[in-house]
């Protein structure tokens, strides 16, 4: 029996939806980096972009991704340190706020 | 339930919920909506950035020089977008060993 939900259960459909979702994430990141690097590299409203500016934009993206990887790599360590501090008794003021 | 089957076929897309053309249509509509959202985001951000850059003191009207500035600014913004898209896309391809899906960028000509 076919139904609306069978459309979504189709594996081909799911694959294509996943691919579209990934594409959307990619584009969202491009939009974010473009805005950020436009400001960072002080791109000018000229007839032609300077070579140093296009280099700056490329570097901006690469270094952002490097920093992001670095942060992700350090995250397990950071999270375990947060867990350690939570094992201590919370101050009474915290109980007032959350209680 | 019959009610849910009816709602899909009554939208005029054919013989029920499971046909290939239905699926294709859904995907196409999603793709179009995504592309529209993207254009909208690009227009909103570039308008803001170019207004900041080209019209520092908004007057009674937009001067010719300001209009030219905005036009060039938009070109440079799209160029920036294309550089970012290329660099980011290459990076993803490198890091996933050439595999992984959905990393093809849209570039604006």
């Amino acid at each position: 029996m076919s139904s609306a939900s069978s459309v979504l259960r189709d594996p081909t459909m799911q694959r294509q939806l996943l691919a579209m979702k990934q594409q959307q994430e990619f584009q969202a990141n491009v939009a974010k980096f473009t805005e950020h690097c436009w400001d960072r590299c002080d791109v000018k409203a000229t007839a032609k972009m300077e070579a140093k500016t296009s280099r700056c934009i490329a570097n901006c993206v690469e270094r952002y991704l490097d920093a992001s990887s670095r942060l992700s790599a350090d995250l397990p360590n950071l999270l375990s340190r947060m867990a350690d501090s939570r094992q201590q008794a919370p101050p009474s003021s915290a109980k007032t706020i959350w209680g | 339930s019959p009610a849910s089957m009816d709602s899909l076929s009554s939208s005029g897309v054919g013989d029920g919920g499971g046909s290939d053309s239905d699926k294709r249509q859904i995907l196409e509509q999603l793709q179009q909506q995504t592309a529209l959202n993207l254009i909208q985001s690009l227009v909103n951000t570039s308008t803001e950035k170019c207004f900041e850059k080209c019209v520092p003191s908004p007057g009674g009207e937009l001067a010719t020089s300001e209009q030219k500035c905005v036009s060039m600014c938009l070109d440079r913004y799209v160029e920036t977008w294309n550089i970012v898209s290329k660099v980011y896309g290459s990076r993803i391809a490198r890091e996933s060993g050439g595999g992984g899906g959905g990393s093809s960028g849209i570039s604006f000509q």
Side-chain angles (χ1 to χ4, degrees):
Chain A
M1 188 198 290
S2 73
S3 68
S5 64
S6 75
V7 175
L8 295 171
R9 261 186 265 123
D10 174 354
T12 308
M13 192 73 169
Q14 284 183 351
R15 260 199 308 278
Q16 284 173 311
L17 285 172
L18 180 62
M20 282 180 64
K21 180 173 181 276
Q22 287 174 333
Q23 241 242 5
Q24 227 177 322
E25 268 173 40
F26 178 85
Q27 296 302 344
N29 283 335
V30 171
K32 185 176 77 178
F33 297 154
T34 301
E35 185 179 356
H36 181 83
C37 298
W38 171 272
D39 289 338
R40 278 289 205 125
C41 294
D42 192 28
V43 184
K44 306 252 182 308
T46 50
K48 194 161 142 47
M49 189 184 286
E50 294 174 335
K52 69 174 182 184
T53 306
S54 47
R55 267 198 309 277
C56 176
I57 295 162
N59 287 338
C60 175
V61 176
E62 296 270 19
R63 300 297 74 76
Y64 184 102
L65 293 168
D66 289 344
S68 182
S69 299
R70 173 79 261 147
L71 209 133
S72 302
D74 287 348
L75 201 57
N77 185 17
L78 184 73
L79 288 174
S80 70
R81 278 184 279 146
M82 283 172 69
D84 289 348
S85 68
R86 269 210 308 278
Q87 281 161 19
Q88 298 164 13
S92 55
S93 58
K95 283 182 187 159
T96 315
I97 295 166
W98 302 109
Chain B
S1 77
S4 63
M5 286 198 296
D6 282 345
S7 66
L8 198 58
S9 56
S10 69
S11 67
V13 293
D15 53 36
S19 70
D20 283 349
S21 67
D22 288 347
K23 292 169 191 173
R24 216 173 14 249
Q25 190 161 39
I26 289 169
L27 287 172
E28 273 169 19
Q29 284 174 351
L30 276 172
Q31 194 78 289
Q32 272 174 17
Q33 192 58 52
T34 303
L36 277 172
N37 292 345
L38 186 68
I39 303 288
Q40 184 137 58
S41 154
L42 174 65
V43 168
N44 286 345
T45 313
S46 62
T47 301
E48 187 189 320
K49 295 302 177 190
C50 294
F51 185 70
E52 268 170 31
K53 209 164 271 275
C54 294
V55 192
S57 317
E61 60 178 28
L62 218 54
T64 312
S65 60
E66 289 172 331
Q67 288 179 40
K68 283 188 183 152
C69 177
V70 167
S71 183
M72 288 190 292
C73 178
L74 182 63
D75 285 347
R76 300 290 71 74
Y77 198 85
V78 168
E79 193 176 345
T80 304
W81 180 290
N82 288 340
I83 295 169
V84 168
S85 189
K86 196 166 113 173
V87 171
Y88 183 39
S90 302
R91 174 79 173 238
I92 290 178
R94 254 191 343 267
E95 289 185 350
S96 64
S103 63
S104 64
I106 295 173
S107 84
F108 299 97
Q109 302 309 318

